[in-house]
């Protein structure tokens, strides 16, 4: 792995305050080590005990882990449960119905509070409504919703009747939505008239209409529309229904559908190294266990906490740490509709102060942009707000650079809140490598150590362990309960992507590079080793963007690479060859704009290339391979030092330096 360099070693170490450690769910390194040792001693027993303790089973399991069909692992196979029952009814039975489940703050600042009792009722009514429409166990339902109580309700209602949901992020285009509807064969789509973010309205229902009209979506019988703004929508009679009509005459209780532990709870699409997104399929039992466990372990959740995860339910973080985890443990959580910079860049800090949030979980990209904003305007600096309610901070989605970590620690956490830098993926279902806040000494920029029972390692291309200090490939050597079960409809791709033969076919390939510290053994993630980019914590395949670009009638060929970016982590840089002559000046700027808008329509605005450069050709070897490494150097604006003797057409390098 000559590409993977060990980052500069970071020597600063921070410990949680003694008071925190004393009260922590996992208190002290010895407690952590004892759990790891228990998992080593009897791996299956370790998980079985936790699964018995943390889940209410309708029928308890007798089988723990079935590896006979590896890598299609099965956990707690003969157990039966219902995820929504575990997230809601359980708390009512324990007398916590009046506890706040969700504090929802809308884009315009209006706050709605929902208790567990009320959420239970909402979920039951919608579950009954869906059943009445003929949605049944195993059916797929696509959810294309804004951040809302209704969005969480929709996910829980699907879980309640055993329907498998597939949430599509509200920023994805009609085409991306259409592809996901077709791939899942969804029978219903749940959406809203419009979504509001940062004072702007986005017509979700219109995008659903476009997706359905584009064809291939005949499986969809109904579109259920939550009236968020009252904006105009077109209604297709017999197909489209208002959410409030669907639930209006429904009973406030609903017998859950008891499902096997392996029953698919959801499918969530994510980018891989080919053009087609992968439908990551998760099971019910193992996933729920993970959501609950990591709330307790990583977030040290207590009954009095006010938990806030700023992710969107369209991403896995919003699944595990909004729709399921906090509810599974009966926590009170904040759900936010808007964006961190509206009405100003103090919004997060203002909301923490207003709702007395105790645990705050966000992405490095948000932190970096708020650092910039605070530098520019002292009024939106976190020090201007009363953030004394906070006791724990978290980071997710991309590497957090030590400077951003320090700023977060000092200015948001006031030097007394531990920071959990949580490494995980859509495929892992929940946290994998992260500090435990009451146990692990923290080092800025390092996600530190795997959770107990997670057998993470750094290996070379053939699967051999590498010594600490040497960069390599991140793998997980044993299956764990919340792991991806398959890629929806494509088991072969699942095997090839995550359990490649070169590594023996049984160990999980994360797709990231990593290095462990010489002395501490701490992990630092060095970034993706495949053609996947991470822009503002959003995962995107270079091939996906390239396919979108070449679908434009003007484009002959395109190559996309990532470029380091101070705020977004990485940014998208596209090298394009047109079917016509290479444009320059105003024409080049015009076409670049047209192509950016095109990509926004094909995938979504998050996939828009920040830079577009035109050439007569792409730099290729004599055998016709695109020299991506060279493109990365060009994107960074650095001098080319590597050997370009195999390059067929060196003259185009000069052309490719120019940004449009
Ligand atoms: O490259 C890693 C990066 O995000 C990828 C997973 O993206 P996604 O499936 O969209 O899930 C994001 C939310 C869990 C990983 O392969 N990544 C995620 N968390 C971290 C990270 N890189 C470094 N440090 C992290 N804490």
């Amino acid at each position: 792995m000559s590409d993977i360099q060990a980052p500069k070693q970071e020597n600063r170490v921070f410990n949680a305050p003694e008071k925190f450690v004393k009260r922590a769910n996992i208190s002290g390194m010895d407690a952590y080590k004892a759990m790891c040792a228990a998992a080593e001693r009897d791996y299956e027993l370790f998980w079985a005990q936790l699964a018995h303790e943390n889940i209410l089973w309708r029928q308890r399991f007798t089988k723990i882990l079935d590896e006979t069909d590896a890598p299609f692992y099965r956990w707690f196979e003969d157990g039966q449960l219902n995820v929504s029952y575990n997230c809601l009814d359980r708390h009512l039975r324990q007398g916590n119905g009046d506890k706040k489940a969700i504090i929802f703050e809308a884009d315009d600042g209006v706050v709605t509070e929902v208790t567990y009792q009320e959420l239970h009722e909402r979920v039951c009514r919608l579950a009954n409504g869906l059943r009445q429409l003929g949605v049944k166990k195993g059916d797929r339902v696509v959810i294309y919703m804004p951040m809302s109580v209704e969005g969480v309700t929709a996910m829980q209602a699907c879980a309640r009747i055993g329907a498998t949901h597939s949430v599509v992020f509200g920023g994805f285009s009609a085409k991306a939505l259409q592809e996901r509807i077709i791939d899942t064969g969804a029978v219903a789509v749940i959406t809203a008239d419009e979504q509001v973010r940062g004072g702007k309205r986005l017509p979700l229902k219109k995008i659903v209409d476009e997706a359905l009209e584009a064809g291939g979506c005949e499986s969809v019988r109904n579109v259920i529309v939550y009236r968020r703004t009252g904006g105009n929508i077109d209604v297709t009679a017999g197909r489209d229904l208002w959410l409030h009509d669907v639930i209006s005459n429904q009973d406030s209780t609903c017998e859950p559908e008891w499902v096997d532990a392996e029953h698919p709870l959801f499918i969530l699409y994510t980018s891989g190294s080919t053009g087609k997104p992968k439908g990551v399929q998760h099971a019910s039992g193992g996933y729920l266990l993970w959501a609950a466990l990591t709330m307790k372990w990583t977030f040290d959740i207590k009954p009095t906490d006010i938990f806030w995860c700023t992710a969107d339910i369209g991403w896995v973080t919003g699944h595990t740490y909004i729709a399921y985890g906090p509810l599974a443990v009966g926590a009170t959580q904040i759900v936010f509709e808007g964006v961190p910079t509206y009405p100003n860049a103090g919004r997060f800090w203002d909301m923490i102060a207003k709702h007395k949030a105790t645990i705050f979980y966000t992405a490095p990209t948000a932190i970096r942009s708020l650092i910039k904003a605070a530098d520019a305007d002292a009024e939106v600096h976190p020090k201007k707000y009363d953030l004394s309610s906070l006791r724990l901070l978290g980071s997710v989605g991309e590497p957090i650079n030590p400077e951003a970590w320090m700023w977060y620690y000092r200015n948001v956490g006031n030097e007394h809140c531990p920071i959990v830098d949580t490494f995980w993926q859509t495929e892992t279902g929940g946290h994998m490598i992260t500090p435990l806040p009451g146990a692990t000494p923290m080092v800025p920029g390092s996600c530190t150590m795997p959770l107990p029972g997670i057998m993470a390692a750094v290996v070379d291309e053939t699967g051999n362990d590498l010594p600490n200090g040497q960069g390599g490939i991140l793998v997980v050597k044993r299956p764990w309960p919340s792991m991806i079960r398959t890629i929806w409809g494509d088991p072969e791709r699942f095997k090839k992507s995550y359990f490649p033969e070169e590594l023996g076919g049984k160990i999980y390939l994360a797709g990231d590079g990593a290095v462990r510290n010489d002395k501490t053994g701490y992990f630092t993630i060095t970034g993706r080793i495949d053609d996947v980019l991470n822009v503002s914590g959003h995962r995107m395949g270079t091939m996906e963007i390239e396919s979108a670009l070449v679908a434009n009638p003007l484009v002959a060929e395109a190559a996309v690479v990532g470029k380091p970016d101070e705020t977004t982590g990485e940014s998208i840089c596209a090298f394009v060859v047109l079917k016509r002559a290479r444009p320059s000046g105003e024409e080049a700027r015009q076409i670049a704009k047209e192509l950016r808008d095109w990509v926004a329509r094909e995938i979504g605005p998050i996939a828009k290339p920040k830079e577009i450069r035109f050439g007569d050709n792409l730099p290729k070897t004599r055998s016709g391979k695109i020299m991506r490494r060279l493109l990365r150097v060009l994107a960074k604006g650095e001098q080319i030092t590597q050997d370009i003797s195999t390059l067929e057409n060196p003259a185009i390098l000069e052309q490719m330096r120019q940004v449009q």
Side-chain angles (χ1 to χ4, degrees), residues 317 397-399 421-426 512 525 528 534 539:
T317 309
E398 46 176 326
D421 174 1
T422 59
F423 167 82
W424 59 294
Q425 307 172 298
T426 305
D512 282 288
I525 305 299
R528 298 289 306 192
N534 193 326
R539 186 167 151 183

Side-chain angles (χ1 to χ4, degrees), residues 430-507:
H431 304 151
M432 295 296 277
I433 309 181
T434 172
L436 294 173
T440 322
M442 295 159 294
V443 171
S446 168
C447 51
T448 74
M449 296 296 277
L451 288 175
I454 294 299
M455 308 302 183
V458 179
V459 301
D460 66 15
E461 283 97 337
T462 50
N464 295 312
D465 281 316
L466 287 172
N468 290 352
Q470 206 167 319
I473 301 172
L474 179 66
V475 295
V476 186
K477 292 190 166 176
R478 297 287 325 254
W480 66 101
S482 68
M483 67 194 297
I484 173 175
R485 293 307 195 263
T486 188
I487 293 176
W488 177 258
D490 201 347
E492 273 313 304
R493 190 174 174 200
F494 165 76
K495 280 207 266 188
K496 266 207 341 239
S497 311
Y498 304 113
F499 297 91
E501 282 305 322
E502 306 86 79
L503 299 178
K506 285 190 176 175
I507 63 176

Side-chain angles (χ1 to χ4, degrees), residues 170-426:
F172 275 121
S173 68
K175 180 138 185 288
L177 178 62
Q178 178 208 14
E179 282 166 6
R180 285 153 177 77
I181 292 171
I182 294 174
D183 200 60
T184 54
V187 299
V189 177
I190 307 179
T191 189
D193 50 1
E194 295 181 312
Q195 139 170 316
V196 193
R197 280 160 62 82
K200 288 195 213 96
R201 290 175 170 205
L202 183 80
L204 292 184
K205 170 62 166 61
K206 189 163 157 263
I207 298 172
V208 173
D209 289 342
E210 260 173 57
L212 296 181
E213 274 151 28
C217 303
E218 290 70 29
S219 59
V220 174
R221 296 191 302 260
N222 291 109
V223 176
I224 300 171
V225 188
Y226 159 50
R227 184 182 276 158
R228 166 64 189 89
T229 63
N232 269 339
I233 61 161
D234 291 337
V235 176
T236 301
R239 184 195 73 183
D240 299 352
L241 300 161
W242 286 111
L243 177 72
H244 51 258
D245 291 334
V246 171
I247 61 176
S248 65
N249 291 316
Q250 301 297 342
D251 209 272
S252 61
T253 61
C254 169
E255 176 64 13
E257 182 81 40
W258 304 104
V259 299
D260 293 343
E262 282 297 308
H263 181 71
L265 178 65
F266 66 85
I267 301 163
L268 182 59
Y269 286 82
T270 189
S271 297
S273 9
T274 72
K276 192 173 179 281
K278 306 187 266 200
V280 172
Q281 181 183 319
H282 277 286
S284 300
Y287 174 81
L288 176 68
L289 173 64
W290 213 255
L293 269 187
T294 47
M295 286 300 298
K296 294 178 187 177
W297 290 357
T298 316
F299 291 129
D300 191 50
I301 196 83
K302 302 275 165 38
T304 47
D305 276 314
I306 311 274
F307 177 81
W308 184 15
C309 164
T310 68
D312 191 287
I313 52 167
W315 308 113
V316 73
T317 309
H319 280 57
T320 312
Y321 300 108
I322 296 177
Y324 292 109
L327 301 178
V329 297
T332 297
Q333 68 170 323
I334 297 167
V335 173
F336 177 42
E337 181 180 42
V339 298
T341 47
Y342 179 84
N344 61 47
R347 185 70 184 265
F348 277 179
W349 323 132
D350 179 56
M351 282 181 59
I352 291 171
K354 179 153 95 187
H355 301 299
K356 307 239 176 313
T358 59
I359 304 173
F360 180 65
Y361 189 39
T362 197
T365 189
I367 298 166
R368 287 191 298 263
S369 70
L370 297 177
I371 294 175
K372 259 201 198 162
D375 284 349
D377 176 4
E379 284 308 306
V380 295
H381 195 284
K383 288 282 181 200
K384 284 270 171 180
Y385 299 78
D386 176 9
L387 305 183
S388 58
S389 57
L390 287 171
R391 66 180 194 94
L392 175 60
L393 302 174
S395 168
V396 60
E398 46 176 326
I400 177 160
N401 43 311
E403 309 79 69
W405 194 102
M406 286 307 307
W407 186 91
Y408 196 27
Y409 185 71
R410 288 201 179 113
N411 297 295
V412 184
N414 201 15
E415 301 188 33
H416 72 258
C417 298
I419 298 180
V420 286
D421 174 1
T422 59
F423 167 82
W424 59 294
Q425 307 172 298
T426 305

Side-chain angles (χ1 to χ4, degrees), residues 541-611:
T542 51
M543 294 263 284
E544 219 176 321
I545 307 168
E546 287 165 8
S547 311
L549 282 167
V550 294
N552 185 290
L554 292 176
V555 177
E557 224 181 344
V560 166
V561 299
K563 171 180 174 175
D565 185 284
E566 257 190 28
T567 310
T568 58
E570 262 183 309
S571 66
I572 302 167
C573 182
F575 296 87
V576 175
V577 182
L578 296 181
K579 287 177 187 159
R580 60 168 92 163
R582 183 168 66 93
S584 59
E586 190 44 38
E587 190 198 11
R589 273 188 292 280
Q590 267 302 323
I591 297 176
K593 180 179 179 307
E594 210 176 305
L595 293 182
R596 271 192 206 102
D597 293 344
W598 173 270
V599 173
R601 273 198 306 278
E602 288 283 298
I603 306 176
I606 52 170
K608 267 187 180 185
K610 185 168 178 191
E611 285 181 11

